[in-house]
Structure formats: structure tokens, C-alpha cells
Amino acid sequence: MRRRGWCSASCFLLIVSGMAFTRFTRRVSHAPDTYTPNELGVCTGRRWPADVPPLYVITPTYRRAEQIPELTRLAQTLLLVDSLVWIVVDDADEPTPAVVNYLQERRICHVYLIARMPAKYRNRNSLHKPRGVANRRKGLRWIKRHAKSGGSLYFADDDNTYDSRIFEEIRRTKKVSMFPVGLVTSLGVSSPIVRHGRVTGFYDGWIANRKFAVDMAGFAVNVNFFLSKPKADMPFMVGREETKFLESMDVTLDDIELLAVNATKILVWHTRTKKNGRAKPGDKKLDYSNSNIDALITQIWR
């Protein structure tokens, strides 16, 4: 009798567990993995939990030898983050095949756009070119048109280095959040100055009468807050892109939410990759015809 009772109870538990497992697997199977945002501006699948707000990461990029390696480094971090849409905006007149192919091979929800720097700025010397502005503006326009599920937006340049923890913190942004960025200017860091839990100023190597003397990688914005500000825009003003964008949304110091343990930890670094020139053809004495080298040559900047 005891053995029968024990068996009945065990069998009942196994049946209930099996039913729960079946319901769980069915629920998962109804949400296939997708990598192109839908009409709500999000993707679906295992990396998109229902209770996690989306994170829109806008990455300006341009054609150069380091383009794919730097996108690869950033992608390896973003692949650790759930509910993320990667908006890659290329400064080009037409799609860059290498970038398009790279993104299609990655299992990450993404959008690929092109946005050429306006011609009137291209002939300026390097210090006076508004780099990445056309790209970011294009990414912001995409968010205005397609993001219908809330969340937060962040500008992540492809040459920076990110601790994946900062992306999870960014999700909590209600209006505008800020945090330190390492390896910026001669000071080595750009950060809000915090006293008693409030922002009282900015520590940065280039203040220049900027209301918000922050690095582009040092703040995030809530999507609904951004969408509520019809005049929100980023101008082609070298060195003032960040502050003018924040000012266009009527942000005040009291609006700023502090991340990275009250701005005491560095989780983003403004790293720089050594510039490489165009690859040169191999010496005629090298016999590499009809070999793997033919495939490799198509993947290098020439």
C-alpha cells in the first residue's frame, strides 16, 4: 500500500511537471528568433523577454581598414545584452557590402542605414568636421518613426570599449542618465561632478561654456522622453553636438539620473585603434594565385 501511494504521488508530480514543461516549450516556440525589427520597432525570440524594455544603440561608422574589426569588437559586447536593437549607420553613398554581410551573419537584432556627411563639411580639416552627426541624426529619425515600445537610446561609437553592465543600467533611464567615460582628453576621464547625489557640474578636459560638458558615450535618453520632445535634434556643431542635443530636449541638471554607482565607476572607455593605411598588392614574386589569399584580399581595405 505504501509503495502504491508513493507511486501515485510521484506519477502525479511527473505528469504535472511534464504538462508545465510542454506549456513552456510551446510558449517559446510561438516566438521565433528574428533579427529585423517588426512594426513595433523590436525583434522577437529567446533574447527578447516580455518584461525587459528595448535598448536602441546607434552606432555611426565609416569605411576604413578598421571598420569590420571595430564593429566586431562592439558586436561581441552587444551579443551579451537582451532586448537590444543595433542601429548601424554608415557614412557612405551606398551600402558597404562588407558591413551588410557582417551584420547578416550576426545573430543580433539590427538595422543598417546609410547617411553621408553633407558635402559642405567634407573638405574641412579633420578637427572641424562634424563626424558622426549625419549618422546619429539618421538613427534618431529611425527611432522617431519605428520605436513604439519605449525603452532607452544610446550612442555607441564603434571605436569605444564597453562593459556590458552599462547597457543593463541604461534600461532604467527615465529621462536622461549620465555616467563617466574613461580615456577622454588629458584628464583621462569625463564625468558629471556629483555631490550628495546631485550633479553640480562636469569634469572634462574641454568645458568651453558647454551647459552639458559630457562625452557622446556618457549619457543615455529614455525613448518616450525623446519622442515627447518634437524639437529634439543634434546640430552639425563640432564639439557641441552633445550639449545642443540635450539642450534641445530642455534637460536640466535636476533631470539627470546617475548610473555606474553614482558616477564612481568607469564602464565605458574612449579607446582608439591604430590607423592602418590601404593594403598594398603582394609582391609579384609571391605565388598566391588560385589560393586562399584570393578570398582574404576581398576582406581587406584597399
Side-chain angles (χ1 to χ4, degrees):
M1 291 296 292
R2 290 180 181 176
R3 294 184 63 183
R4 287 181 182 178
W6 177 86
C7 181
S8 298
S10 300
C11 291
F12 175 77
L13 289 173
L14 287 172
I15 292 171
V16 171
S17 299
M19 291 173 64
F21 179 77
T22 300
R23 284 197 296 270
F24 174 76
T25 54
R26 285 176 180 172
R27 184 171 67 249
V28 171
S29 65
H30 289 164
D33 293 334
T34 62
Y35 305 105
T36 300
N38 58 26
E39 66 280 0
L40 298 178
V42 297
C43 290
T44 62
R46 293 166 294 175
R47 303 299 303 275
W48 285 83
D51 58 343
V52 178
L55 178 58
Y56 296 91
V57 175
I58 299 175
T59 297
T61 188
Y62 65 98
R63 296 179 181 180
R64 63 200 189 281
E66 303 81 23
Q67 186 175 30
I68 296 301
E70 293 193 318
L71 287 173
T72 298
R73 179 176 59 186
L74 176 53
Q76 299 310 305
T77 300
L78 299 184
L79 283 166
L80 300 174
V81 184
D82 287 343
S83 299
L84 181 144
V85 179
W86 192 16
I87 305 173
V88 179
V89 192
D90 209 347
D91 186 345
D93 291 314
E94 57 186 20
T96 302
V99 177
V100 173
N101 292 337
Y102 178 80
L103 291 173
Q104 290 176 345
E105 291 174 354
R106 302 282 78 75
R107 299 175 68 84
I108 185 170
C109 181
H110 71 273
V111 177
Y112 177 74
L113 307 170
I114 58 174
R116 194 79 166 96
M117 180 188 293
K120 62 182 178 180
Y121 301 119
R122 294 179 209 161
N123 293 327
R124 293 184 179 183
N125 67 43
S126 180
L127 292 176
H128 296 91
K129 286 183 178 180
R131 296 184 182 279
V133 175
N135 315 55
R136 297 185 189 100
R137 287 164 61 100
K138 188 70 171 281
L140 290 172
R141 287 198 296 273
W142 188 93
I143 288 176
K144 284 184 178 181
R145 295 171 184 170
H146 301 283
K148 297 179 175 62
S149 302
S152 301
L153 68 88
Y154 179 62
F155 301 109
D157 289 359
D158 61 2
D159 57 349
N160 289 347
T161 301
Y162 308 87
D163 186 313
S164 62
R165 291 175 293 177
I166 194 60
F167 295 105
E168 298 303 336
E169 292 197 31
I170 284 171
R171 292 190 200 280
R172 302 200 301 266
T173 302
K174 296 179 176 63
K175 286 187 177 179
V176 175
S177 59
M178 291 189 179
F179 37 90
V181 179
L183 302 178
V184 178
T185 75
S186 61
L187 300 184
V189 65
S190 172
S191 174
I193 297 173
V194 182
R195 294 186 176 92
H196 308 296
R198 295 185 67 253
V199 177
T200 61
F202 296 93
Y203 185 82
D204 191 272
W206 193 68
I207 300 297
N209 295 317
R210 293 187 295 161
K211 181 177 180 179
F212 299 101
V214 295
D215 187 81
M216 191 68 72
F219 68 92
V221 180
N222 178 278
V223 168
N224 288 334
F225 177 71
F226 167 69
L227 295 177
S228 74
K229 302 293 182 178
K231 295 183 179 179
D233 194 15
M234 183 177 292
F236 290 94
M237 296 179 66
V238 178
R240 298 185 179 277
E241 298 94 330
E242 299 93 340
T243 188
K244 290 301 181 182
F245 175 60
L246 293 170
E247 289 175 41
S248 74
M249 294 184 289
D250 302 316
V251 175
T252 67
L253 291 182
D254 290 334
D255 290 327
I256 298 172
E257 306 147 45
L258 295 167
L259 304 184
V261 193
N262 270 339
T264 61
K265 286 186 174 294
I266 299 175
L267 299 176
V268 183
W269 294 266
H270 201 291
T271 47
R272 297 181 181 181
T273 302
K274 173 184 174 295
K275 297 297 181 183
N276 295 271
R278 292 177 179 268
K280 299 178 180 179
D283 192 294
K284 293 181 179 179
K285 296 180 181 178
L286 297 174
D287 182 13
Y288 57 82
S289 60
N290 300 318
S291 71
N292 64 306
I293 304 303
D294 294 328
L296 296 178
I297 287 175
T298 65
Q299 301 172 51
I300 58 177
W301 180 247
R302 303 191 60 157

